[in-house]
Amino acid sequence: MPFVHIEWLEGRTLEQKRELAKRITDAVSEVAGSPQQNVHVFFTDMKREDYGFGGELTLDRQQK
Amino acid sequence: MPFVHIEWLEGRTLEQKRELAKRITDAVSEVAGSPQQNVHVFFTDMKREDYGFGGELTLDRQQK
Amino acid sequence: MPFVHIEWLEGRTLEQKRELAKRITDAVSEVAGSPQQNVHVFFTDMKREDYGFGGELTLDRQQK
Amino acid sequence: MPFVHIEWLEGRTLEQKRELAKRITDAVSEVAGSPQQNVHVFFTDMKREDYGFGGELTLDRQQK
Amino acid sequence: MPFVHIEWLEGRTLEQKRELAKRITDAVSEVAGSPQQNVHVFFTDMKREDYGFGGELTLDRQQK
Amino acid sequence: MPFVHIEWLEGRTLEQKRELAKRITDAVSEVAGSPQQNVHVFFTDMKREDYGFGGELTLDRQQK
């Protein structure tokens, strides 16, 4: 505890996940006062057909 | 904002996702009074081995 | 199945929740071909201090 | 209703999912007093690069 | 890891939460082979106006 | 997009939420390359009776 779920479009690299997991753990640990070992980070890579806004899927926005 | 997550069994078409994203965005925008651009829609396609009810996975229900 | 989770800022009325639950159930049922009885809808009312974007909580944005 | 989401590392077998869905449904039904048919169970299999704690991805922990 | 989120209607007692947390942890630990200390359980108590199915909020179903 | 959900025990101050929202937005924006305006942050304050690990609710752990 705490638990941090990140939803973003697929395509980020392993290195980006490593760096973001580290930076988020540091931030949560420092601000919330939780030991780093207790900070859990989760990534969900979303396909462009599985996320949209304004009534349009990202897949279709990007093909314009 | 608002954010709408839809979990359903895998197998729906891209066209169904397009149509549902549009209809949900319209409904949320009209009822909640949010601009369409602020309505975010997310789809999770679940495998039949990853969802069940009544103590049984959908995979097994459908093989009966 | 399907399951629809809606996260929005607190303050919407019971009537808005009734109407949106109905419209989302109709849309999902018609587009996904699921019986209405199988469509589950969940609302999460978020406090303005519990959601933000662009590095700012909604609470602070609205006090400007 | 109730709805139980389980997030765990990928690699568990179909048989483990069958058994856990059954045991969780029994537990929820008996403790919460809900009919078994109303208990829904969801599995999310997480890749080792998509979950970590203590600022490190599981992928990297296990390669040490 | 694993992480188990339970969404149910509000009104269950603290004792029910204690019992269900214990039984789910036992089940997950035995089936998934995870040490009990690594099994995290989360409860979300839903208001009857915040959950519904078949196009109707639970609040309205129960007032019939 | 991206979307960051943080679940932690209730009791953190508004100031902590402000600071963490800012730091997470900076981290996500810099690592993922997303404009700050597109980074959404959500907080869930959990009661001590609604979260536990090792088969025990936090409420009971802290009363020992």
Side-chain angles (χ1 to χ4, degrees):
Chain A
M1 214 278 317
F3 306 90
V4 182
H5 282 77
I6 299 132
E7 294 168 295
W8 59 3
L9 284 181
E10 62 183 354
R12 268 68 182 215
T13 64
L14 178 55
E15 208 35 57
Q16 285 177 299
K17 290 181 181 178
R18 283 187 180 119
E19 189 187 345
L20 191 51
K22 185 74 191 85
R23 286 195 53 183
I24 282 183
T25 301
D26 290 344
V28 171
S29 179
E30 286 157 32
V31 173
S34 313
Q36 292 233 344
Q37 289 303 101
N38 292 4
V39 180
H40 301 255
V41 175
F42 307 73
F43 292 100
T44 300
D45 295 335
M46 301 185 292
K47 291 194 189 111
R48 280 158 177 72
E49 67 173 62
D50 287 337
Y51 163 69
F53 67 94
E56 233 185 332
L57 302 181
T58 307
L59 179 76
D60 297 324
R61 279 180 184 274
Q62 293 180 340
Q63 283 171 350
K64 286 180 181 170
Chain B
M1 213 277 316
F3 306 90
V4 182
H5 283 76
I6 300 133
E7 293 167 295
W8 59 4
L9 284 180
E10 62 182 358
R12 270 69 182 212
T13 64
L14 178 55
E15 209 34 56
Q16 285 177 300
K17 290 180 181 178
R18 283 188 180 119
E19 190 188 343
L20 191 52
K22 185 76 190 82
R23 286 195 53 182
I24 282 184
T25 301
D26 290 344
V28 171
S29 179
E30 285 158 31
V31 174
S34 312
Q36 292 234 342
Q37 289 302 101
N38 292 4
V39 181
H40 301 256
V41 175
F42 306 74
F43 292 99
T44 300
D45 294 335
M46 302 184 292
K47 291 193 189 115
R48 280 159 176 70
E49 67 171 63
D50 287 337
Y51 163 68
F53 66 93
E56 235 186 330
L57 301 181
T58 308
L59 180 76
D60 297 323
R61 280 180 180 273
Q62 294 179 342
Q63 283 171 352
K64 286 181 182 170
Chain C
M1 211 278 315
F3 306 90
V4 183
H5 283 77
I6 300 134
E7 293 168 294
W8 59 3
L9 284 180
E10 62 182 358
R12 269 69 182 213
T13 65
L14 178 56
E15 208 35 57
Q16 285 177 300
K17 290 181 182 177
R18 283 188 180 119
E19 189 186 345
L20 191 52
K22 183 76 189 87
R23 285 195 55 182
I24 281 183
T25 301
D26 290 345
V28 171
S29 178
E30 286 159 31
V31 174
S34 313
Q36 292 232 342
Q37 288 303 102
N38 292 3
V39 180
H40 301 256
V41 175
F42 306 74
F43 291 99
T44 300
D45 293 337
M46 302 185 292
K47 291 193 190 112
R48 279 158 176 72
E49 67 172 62
D50 287 337
Y51 162 69
F53 66 94
E56 238 187 330
L57 301 181
T58 307
L59 179 77
D60 297 324
R61 278 180 183 276
Q62 293 179 341
Q63 284 172 352
K64 285 181 181 168
Chain D
M1 214 279 315
F3 305 90
V4 183
H5 282 77
I6 299 133
E7 293 168 293
W8 61 1
L9 283 180
E10 63 183 356
R12 269 70 180 209
T13 64
L14 178 55
E15 208 35 56
Q16 285 177 299
K17 290 182 181 177
R18 282 188 180 117
E19 189 187 345
L20 191 51
K22 185 75 191 84
R23 286 195 55 182
I24 283 183
T25 301
D26 289 345
V28 171
S29 179
E30 286 159 31
V31 174
S34 311
Q36 292 232 342
Q37 289 303 102
N38 292 4
V39 181
H40 302 256
V41 175
F42 307 73
F43 291 100
T44 299
D45 294 336
M46 302 185 292
K47 291 193 189 113
R48 280 159 176 72
E49 66 171 60
D50 286 337
Y51 163 68
F53 66 93
E56 235 186 331
L57 301 182
T58 307
L59 180 75
D60 297 322
R61 279 180 182 276
Q62 293 179 341
Q63 283 171 353
K64 287 180 181 169
Chain E
M1 214 276 316
F3 306 90
V4 183
H5 282 77
I6 299 133
E7 293 168 295
W8 60 1
L9 285 179
E10 61 182 358
R12 269 70 183 212
T13 65
L14 178 56
E15 208 36 56
Q16 285 177 299
K17 290 181 181 179
R18 283 188 180 118
E19 190 187 344
L20 191 52
K22 185 74 191 86
R23 285 195 54 182
I24 281 183
T25 301
D26 289 345
V28 171
S29 178
E30 285 158 31
V31 173
S34 312
Q36 293 232 342
Q37 290 303 101
N38 292 4
V39 181
H40 301 257
V41 175
F42 305 74
F43 292 99
T44 300
D45 293 337
M46 302 185 292
K47 291 190 189 119
R48 279 158 176 72
E49 67 170 63
D50 286 336
Y51 163 69
F53 66 94
E56 234 186 331
L57 301 180
T58 308
L59 179 76
D60 297 323
R61 280 180 180 275
Q62 294 179 341
Q63 284 172 351
K64 286 181 181 169
Chain F
M1 214 279 317
F3 305 90
V4 183
H5 282 77
I6 299 134
E7 293 168 294
W8 59 2
L9 284 180
E10 61 182 357
R12 269 68 182 211
T13 64
L14 178 56
E15 209 34 58
Q16 285 177 298
K17 290 182 182 178
R18 282 187 181 120
E19 189 188 344
L20 191 52
K22 184 75 190 85
R23 285 195 56 182
I24 282 183
T25 301
D26 289 345
V28 171
S29 178
E30 285 158 31
V31 174
S34 313
Q36 292 232 345
Q37 289 302 102
N38 292 5
V39 180
H40 301 256
V41 175
F42 306 74
F43 291 99
T44 300
D45 294 336
M46 302 185 293
K47 292 193 188 110
R48 279 158 176 72
E49 66 171 63
D50 287 337
Y51 163 68
F53 67 94
E56 236 186 328
L57 301 180
T58 307
L59 179 76
D60 297 323
R61 278 179 183 276
Q62 293 178 340
Q63 282 171 353
K64 285 179 182 169

